Amino acid sequence: MTTTIVAIFGIVYLGMILGGLPFLQLDRTGVALLGAIALISVDATGLEEAAQAVHLPSLVLLFSFMVLSAQMRLGGFYDWVTRRLAALALSPAQLLGALVFCVGALSAVFSNDIVCLAMAPLLIEVCAGRRLDPVPYLLALACAANIGSAATLIGNPQNMLIGQTLHLSFGGYAAQAIVPVVLGLLSTWSLIAWQMRGRWAATMPADDDSGLRRGNDSEIPLDRWQTGKGLAIAATLLLAFLFTDWPREHMALTAAGVLLMSRKLHSTKMLGLVDWELLILFIGLFVVNHALQNTGLIARAVNEAAASGWDLRRPGSLFAATLLLSNVVSNLPAVMLLLPLATHSIAGPVLALASTLAGNLLIVGSIANIIVVDAATRRGVTIDWRRHARVGIPVTLASLAICAVSLWLSLR
């Protein structure tokens, strides 16, 4: 049975690397789900055991903040923020800086993927209106969303999982993460502005921006009541997370229930913006990783590595392994695989920061990158892997170096 479990695990993580499986119409979610089904079908794990393997508090927290992000999106908040940024009397470089820090702040509270999904199309139109090349601003959007989401334990799915599983202090983690995140955002702004060096103007003729302006049918006008309600609940949750020890998943789920009780926003629209595929990906990977853990192979491999001088439980080794795996199988599967090794006092911040910041290296490193690139492609703006790498690689190296120094100083 061990051989079967290892084979299924290998196929699932091959799917994580490739984004699917050859000859089958499966994405990462489909591969993870199929792997869990296969383990149950061959009786490698029972239904009850599979259900117990799923960390429900993490799923509840993730779902609840998806509902909160849906509220903000349907209330027109993200569109309003993008328009307000565009209306500021700023130079192109200053506009880039305002965008980076605004997106970073939003992503620390709301889902970084939702922020990118909502802001990317409108940002392209804004750049067209100001005759600016949209590519540096789109790349800044993706990088800032990833970096900013590392600031809190609710900024992205892997941080939610780490915080819930390891029972990390919300305020304690934020205090440890804020400096590397702010410096990472500053380095992102500096690097992109330096690369552009005055070449901000769009290269297309003035009468040929139809591709950039195309299809902004999804623009949502600001609903002050719905936006205010969402912001009030988000602020209440943050204060509760910071100053109480009540279960975060309970408070977040209650908040989601309050938001769903709306006289104007239909629950179908709210729940339609929930990323159900990501929730299913979570469930599938929980089951697959649990089955492999039960074989004892992971513990044996870790002990052998420690005996040879590379102990993955040490912060430095865990940091390196997180960086490597996050760019091989993506950051969420990497965190789920490495989480059982998080036994050191700063292992939680190491996993959260390294996995999130590593997502900027390549387009496939995070969902936020893919969302931005896809939005650009649909509107006639090309961002290939080379163009992304010109920004993503230096931004990742700079932010990870800052993070490593910050974590080292915290140990000292």
Side-chain angles (χ1 to χ4, degrees):
M1 187 59 72
T2 297
T3 303
T4 302
I5 293 173
V6 170
I8 292 173
F9 175 87
I11 292 171
V12 168
Y13 272 78
L14 177 64
M16 298 300 106
I17 296 171
L18 300 178
L21 292 177
F23 312 113
L24 295 175
Q25 295 298 312
L26 292 172
D27 59 6
R28 286 186 173 92
T29 299
V31 173
L33 178 60
L34 190 61
I37 292 172
L39 288 169
I40 294 171
S41 299
V42 300
D43 207 25
T45 183
L47 276 173
E48 289 187 4
E49 185 182 357
Q52 292 172 358
V54 177
H55 194 259
L56 192 57
S58 298
L59 283 180
V60 168
L61 188 65
L62 181 56
F63 165 79
S64 301
F65 272 89
M66 286 179 178
V67 172
L68 177 58
S69 291
Q71 172 80 21
M72 303 308 297
R73 190 176 177 192
L74 292 173
F77 175 69
Y78 299 117
D79 288 15
W80 177 80
V81 168
T82 309
R83 290 288 188 194
R84 293 286 291 181
L85 280 174
L88 296 175
L90 300 174
S91 68
Q94 291 171 337
L95 179 62
L96 181 77
L99 174 70
V100 165
F101 284 96
C102 178
V103 169
L106 289 175
S107 298
V109 180
F110 307 107
S111 168
N112 58 340
D113 297 343
I114 294 294
V115 171
C116 288
L117 189 64
M119 294 184 68
L122 192 57
L123 184 62
I124 295 172
E125 184 197 341
V126 163
C127 289
R130 294 184 60 155
R131 301 298 177 191
L132 295 172
D133 181 0
V135 173
Y137 294 94
L138 291 168
L139 292 174
L141 170 63
C143 291
N146 286 325
I147 295 173
S149 72
T152 67
L153 293 174
I154 55 174
N156 56 58
Q158 64 268 19
N159 280 21
M160 292 183 190
L161 174 62
I162 293 166
Q164 292 296 101
T165 304
L166 301 181
H167 305 289
L168 298 181
S169 162
F170 190 88
Y173 171 81
Q176 196 160 22
I178 190 64
V179 171
V181 166
V182 170
L183 293 179
L185 292 172
L186 183 61
S187 67
T188 299
W189 177 25
S190 303
L191 285 166
I192 297 177
W194 177 79
Q195 285 188 358
M196 296 307 294
R197 291 199 296 276
R199 293 177 284 108
W200 298 99
T203 56
M204 65 190 64
D207 60 348
D208 188 27
D209 63 351
S210 58
L212 294 180
R213 293 180 179 275
R214 184 194 324 147
N216 196 34
D217 300 332
S218 60
E219 183 182 347
I220 303 172
L222 179 67
D223 186 321
R224 295 183 182 276
W225 168 249
Q226 299 299 336
T227 296
K229 183 167 67 171
L231 289 174
I233 287 181
T236 301
L237 283 176
L238 285 177
L239 291 173
F241 290 170
L242 285 169
F243 299 112
T244 73
D245 57 357
W246 300 337
R248 290 196 283 267
E249 66 275 12
H250 290 185
M251 292 187 287
L253 189 60
T254 301
V258 171
L259 291 174
L260 286 170
M261 292 189 299
S262 174
R263 297 179 61 185
K264 185 174 180 180
L265 298 180
H266 199 283
S267 60
T268 301
K269 290 184 178 180
M270 297 278 284
L271 296 177
L273 292 176
V274 170
D275 192 344
W276 298 105
E277 288 195 8
L278 181 59
L279 296 175
I280 293 173
L281 175 66
F282 254 75
I283 292 170
L285 289 177
F286 272 128
V287 175
V288 171
N289 285 313
H290 174 76
L292 185 69
Q293 289 288 338
N294 281 351
T295 64
L297 294 176
I298 294 293
R300 195 180 312 159
V302 170
N303 290 334
E304 290 177 358
S308 64
W310 197 46
D311 190 352
L312 287 174
R313 299 182 185 89
R314 292 179 179 174
S317 300
L318 185 60
F319 187 93
T322 304
L323 170 60
L324 177 63
L325 276 178
S326 293
N327 281 286
V328 174
V329 299
S330 190
N331 44 23
L332 176 59
V335 164
M336 296 185 79
L337 189 60
L338 294 171
L339 200 51
L341 306 178
T343 57
H344 195 277
S345 59
I346 68 163
V350 167
L351 268 179
L353 288 166
S355 63
T356 304
L357 299 179
N360 281 326
L361 189 68
L362 302 171
I363 289 177
V364 296
S366 78
I367 300 298
N369 297 343
I370 297 172
I371 288 171
V372 170
V373 171
D374 286 349
T377 301
R378 287 194 298 270
R379 287 157 181 81
V381 179
T382 301
I383 304 177
D384 60 18
W385 69 270
R386 293 182 185 86
R387 183 67 182 89
H388 180 275
R390 283 178 54 196
V391 169
I393 291 175
V395 163
T396 302
L397 294 179
S399 59
L400 283 172
I402 293 167
C403 175
V405 171
S406 177
L407 290 171
W408 179 77
L409 289 174
S410 69
L411 278 176
R412 301 285 293 180

